């Protein structure tokens, strides 16, 4: 971290600051120019509060020159992380598609879709048991029962299952779930992240609606700091002024995260756009941009889905998407 | 809700739709024009998924004409709600300031500040025990110990206390807390909201960084649908492209929420701006705009605060702010 | 357009409104339900001010059901527009890359780059003569001299040239320019758009930093309403809260604009991201998403470029990008 | 400006950089730490391209420590600028309200409103002659004729007039206009700003929909660099994800601009909110926050206004607003 001091800073206050920094095990490199005095702070500055330092009377400006994330940082872990879920691998050149309905509705619905998407080449099954809904009056998911149905679909098809957790008290229900999803609204539910850090389950961490990429990595860092490095990042659109799509899919996030971190990065074009017709072109674009995978909503009867029907594909549309993705995959930009 | 049908819609599909809607206890008023066919859906449409309906093959566009919130809606509850916290009242013409440090650090720190802000006219004491921090390496709050210290400060000063909950499993620790704060990052932690709906505690519900006012009211609705109508709304800035302030304080939210809901609305200029010098002008502006109260960060030694020092006022600055607010209060716009 | 009336609307005011609407040649279809009264406005509603109508005392809500753009609307022009620039075609399955330096600096610089990008397969040459710069103290472009140099590069290489206009008074200088670019900051410079509508030059219209897709099409409509239908749309990133990239490239705009309009759509990944390393993956992703072309900054010596060096590719990097784009092009999503 | 070099930077490249910087009359202060090497660039760095510098192979990060605006900077001009328009003064403790219709429609309409707002205490008359409209099919203003009518209203009432310019070629028509308004969409029409810099007219410069405060000041700097320092800044809302208001009024801009610049700052609550009922509370809040003035839309017959009726006040509502503003004005935060 670098602190630029104000022109006529108080010497006494500088002494106070340097002695406080030394207590925090930070070394200081002072550079005294004619007009500008600069402090270079050396050591582990990740716990320093840059906002607090920049407010000090003697400080003109404070700037981090190192990223505040360590476990997730590619600088310290140059090789791609590969996440194994049963026989399925994601990351490090292993590309996979997760598909399934927004909500688990019934055993029949789920198993039909599961078989369809498996036949088309999906590697994992997704399905919502606990559903975060804006309205308390909307369908909230089958909850425990939904997880049971997912496990039954897994038994039948062999597909590992991915489903969302909404509260840490539900964790015991997720014992047999293969990948636990943290939704966009919970990306900064730090108590939940800490608990997930104590497990060794793969975690699918979705970017928050108004979260920067650095904040996404800091949330991954919460999980990893607890000892669980099985984190898959997911870009799913950010909230902007544009209302023609539900969110704005930020595909630049894929190559940029690739530089910042060694963790796998997948893309959710269904929730990002909210429009079924945009799912395939955005899935193909995400693949071309170097994504490690996709998560796609598929429903056997979209107009009657209990939630998010507008963005679900039919199994036929999903099969077509899979083919288009396969065509582009060999030419994806991954460096 | 209104559905506009496509020009050459399939009659059979319309029959399917109308029979499904009738199953949901929705009455239908069909209006057949030369070019445009419109369905007016009458009844309790709050559980209907507008996204799903708008994706149907025969539907051109779907539009709600009623708000999806009921308990929070001023249309159905024209009178202002007044929240009582001990002897303190907020709402319906009762204005109050909540003040205190970002984090509870020690008994001495907390009690000193508590006495200072009480002397200047604060009605309640705030202080963070559980702290949501972007980084896992940053100070996470004194947690249980922090709540103990808050209760001790309450004993000494008589000020009711306000502190943030981060997970529903912590709820028993908040037994003696007067007002439970739900932070911006948890505004859509729906499981937490449901639990809080089962209590009768006043809840201070902060607007999420990228939440619309309607979403804020839907989150209030989660709490109220559970039976707890003691909800205080708090505007605390939204995330925009502007980086000169930490967030963009949306003061229009105050008079607009006033029309939409009967719940009290307060403003947090400290977190919104993140800059101590802007806190007073924004506090005064919020008061002028008709806010029912303010929540202000005050620290006896800002530069050494363990978090958010940049935005904390000294007790002297707070006393000055209070005077300025009092000057403007009689002329506030409240209709 | 649909107007939903308030429950107890004034009959006299409704008469006033309907007679005013008839004066505007709008037919009215009244639908009287038990609770809801709806007016369907039939005819050319594009000149009606929806904001004004929605503010009327008797109106609960007003909603457009037809797009306010006509010339640009695919509904009325189902076939793709193909823009011809000399022998080069853009749109309707014709894909082309425009490449060149941010600023024209010298004849040698420009001609070297022009020959390099031509050899790699660029179809047109771009280069800034008039430069919109945030600071009045930054290099403002070679202006007239820059256009001369572009014309000389065209003579040498045969590449049509694309360059930005900043004010309608400069139009005579663009007599021999092949494609006139309207920059993001001028997307709503309506007087300029009207003047360009009187020419028959192809216009490259960039999306504004905070413009919706509908606003982009309304700006195209300004040009087309004047008689010039040679408009190429360009997605170049929108302004959001994310600061890791200069702007957020909105690739969903490509398939969405494809549905909304018949005009060609190209993508500028250089200005969108502002980071050289992201240009290739985003160019390939844009191609996969169905873009009709790309506009790419190339500089023979990026670090000394007088502007925007951070996002320029070297000619070698451009040749590599071209190959990657060509690989994906056969599999692009265009339906 | 500060450049932090990469750990293993190339010595030869550093020499190239330093000699190039010296050519630009920049002095360099090199600070060599164990791990970090920092260059302090001293001199007039306002023309240096920070994006270009940060892209150099040897540079880790580049940071400005001085603002890139000079003429508009309070550091170099500590005293408030006071703009005189006839007998009216704005800035430096002089508060004034500009009021009038969105569009000039007729002599009768304009003069009636002008007399009404004058009677209520408005200091200047606003009215749109040239209207920037999103749609080419919407009313574009009376143009030349509109300016004539404004001058006639000035004659009758003595109120100085404020009206918007849309293109520099129209400048001769503005010869007798008292204050020339640059609208939000033209805030970065740099050719127009340069021309206005050659006049000595007061310029009312509105913040762009997606412009930062620093960009607003850089646009003021364009005008001032040309020799015209009569610039009044206007906050009029920024574009965000919230759709309940037309834009999000950023009132923090008022005290923040106060610190950054000596220029007067006024607020436009009519365009910011787009909702008549919010105009008064936001006007009063802006006043309390320390604004130097307001610009308010007033129409004698809002529902029939040719544009922006939804946000216009009646003369009676304006008179009421003026009283509320006057009540708060003595207690405004101006330091």
């Amino acid at each position: 971290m670098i602190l630029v001091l104000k022109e006529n800073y108080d010497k006494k206050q500088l002494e106070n600051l340097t002695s406080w920094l030394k207590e925090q095990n930070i070394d200081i490199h002072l550079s005294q120019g004619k007009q500008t005095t600069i402090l270079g702070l050396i050591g582990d500055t990740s716990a320093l509060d840059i906002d607090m330092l920049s407010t000090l009377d003697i400080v003109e400006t404070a700037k981090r020159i190192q990223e505040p994330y360590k476990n997730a940082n590619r600088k310290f872990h140059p090789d791609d992380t590969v996440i194994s879920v049963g026989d399925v691998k994601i990351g490090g050149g292993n590309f996979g598609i997760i598909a399934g309905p927004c909500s688990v509705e019934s055993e029949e619905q789920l198993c039909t879709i599961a078989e369809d998407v498996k036949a088309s080449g999906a590697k994992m099954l997704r399905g919502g048991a606990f559903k975060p809904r804006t309205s308390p009056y909307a369908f909230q998911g089958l909850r425990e029962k939904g997880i049971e149905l997912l496990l039954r679909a897994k038994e039948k098809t062999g597909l590992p299952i991915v489903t969302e957790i909404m509260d840490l008290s539900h964790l015991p229900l997720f014992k047999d779930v293969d990948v636990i999803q943290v939704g966009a609204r919970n990306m900064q539910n730090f108590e939940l992240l800490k608990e997930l850090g104590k497990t060794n389950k793969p975690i699918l961490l979705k970017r928050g609606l108004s979260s920067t990429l650095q904040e996404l990595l800091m949330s991954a860092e919460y999980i990893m700091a607890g000892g669980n490095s099985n984190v898959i990042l997911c870009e799913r659109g950010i909230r902007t002024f544009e209302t023609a799509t539900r969110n704005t899919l930020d595909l630049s996030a894929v190559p940029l995260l690739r530089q910042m971190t060694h963790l796998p990065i997948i893309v959710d074009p269904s929730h990002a756009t909210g429009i079924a017709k945009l799912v395939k072109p955005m899935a193909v674009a995400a693949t071309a941009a170097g994504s490690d995978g996709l998560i796609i909503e598929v429903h056997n009867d979209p107009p009657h889905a209990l939630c998010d029907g507008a963005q679900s594909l039919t199994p036929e549309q999903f099969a077509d998407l899979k083919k288009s993705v396969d065509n582009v995959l060999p030419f994806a930009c991954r460096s």
Side-chain angles (χ1 to χ4, degrees), chain A residues 292-308:
Chain A
D292 292 302
L294 298 165
I295 179 163
I296 305 285
E297 270 191 31
V298 178
H299 199 283
N300 51 348
D301 188 11
H304 291 94
L306 292 172
C307 81
D308 283 354

Side-chain angles (χ1 to χ4, degrees), chain A residues 32-293:
Chain A
Q32 184 82 53
K34 249 175 294 179
Q35 294 179 299
T36 312
T37 305
I38 296 167
L39 298 190
L41 310 194
I42 295 153
D44 182 1
T45 60
S46 53
L48 291 181
D49 183 339
I50 191 166
D51 284 341
M52 188 268 277
L53 289 170
S54 63
T55 194
L56 294 171
D57 265 0
I58 59 172
V59 173
E60 171 79 31
T61 183
K63 186 169 169 58
R64 265 189 206 289
I65 55 173
Q66 278 169 339
E67 299 82 8
Y69 47 93
K70 291 182 275 192
N71 290 293
N73 198 332
R74 189 177 279 278
K75 279 192 191 155
F76 308 129
H77 308 258
D79 292 339
D80 284 354
T81 285
V82 179
I83 311 278
S84 292
V85 186
D87 296 340
V88 179
K89 289 185 192 314
I90 298 274
N94 302 285
F95 181 93
I97 304 185
I98 304 165
C102 174
S103 293
V104 176
E105 294 168 29
S106 70
E107 184 169 352
E108 197 203 334
Q109 168 239 23
L110 188 62
C111 291
T112 308
I113 297 176
E115 275 157 17
D116 281 345
V117 300
K118 188 187 177 186
S120 301
K123 296 255 183 79
M124 295 195 237
L125 176 67
R126 60 150 288 161
F130 292 87
K131 297 298 308 170
R133 305 301 306 277
T134 307
S135 166
Y137 311 118
F139 175 59
Q140 307 273 319
L142 294 180
R143 302 173 70 94
E144 292 85 335
K145 174 76 181 166
I147 293 185
E148 272 173 45
L149 297 182
L150 281 163
L151 292 172
R152 227 168 293 165
K154 177 185 176 180
E155 226 176 293
K156 284 202 186 163
T157 59
L159 289 178
I161 57 173
V162 182
T163 194
E164 179 169 353
I165 192 165
M166 281 181 64
D167 189 77
L168 61 87
S169 64
H170 302 154
L171 200 46
L173 299 169
F174 285 71
K175 195 167 51 74
D176 299 320
V177 166
D178 298 283
V179 177
I180 301 179
Q181 178 178 316
V182 176
R185 287 178 183 75
N186 276 314
M187 192 201 88
Q188 295 194 319
N189 184 334
F190 300 119
E191 297 295 311
L192 175 61
L193 299 177
K194 283 182 199 171
E195 281 301 306
L196 296 174
K198 294 175 191 163
T199 74
N200 60 0
K201 290 269 185 207
I203 308 298
L204 177 54
L205 179 66
K206 291 194 147 190
R207 182 181 185 182
L209 270 77
S210 62
S211 298
T212 63
L213 297 181
Q214 179 167 306
E215 287 169 342
L216 173 61
L217 292 178
M218 292 309 289
S219 286
E221 193 78 14
Y222 258 96
I223 299 167
M224 299 172 89
N228 182 0
S229 54
N230 295 307
V231 181
I232 302 169
L233 305 172
C234 181
E235 161 62 29
R236 45 78 72 216
I238 56 174
R239 191 164 265 192
T240 70
F241 63 84
E242 175 60 80
T243 54
T245 43
R246 185 191 293 170
N247 294 114
T248 298
L249 182 62
D250 177 12
L251 279 186
S252 311
V254 174
L256 202 50
L257 284 171
R258 182 80 64 222
Q259 292 176 33
M260 297 164 86
T261 185
H262 51 92
L263 296 171
I265 303 136
I266 72 170
V267 171
D268 178 347
S270 304
H271 282 86
T273 63
I275 300 173
K277 281 191 186 166
L278 301 185
V279 174
K280 181 173 122 179
M282 287 302 99
V284 175
T287 306
S291 174
D292 292 302

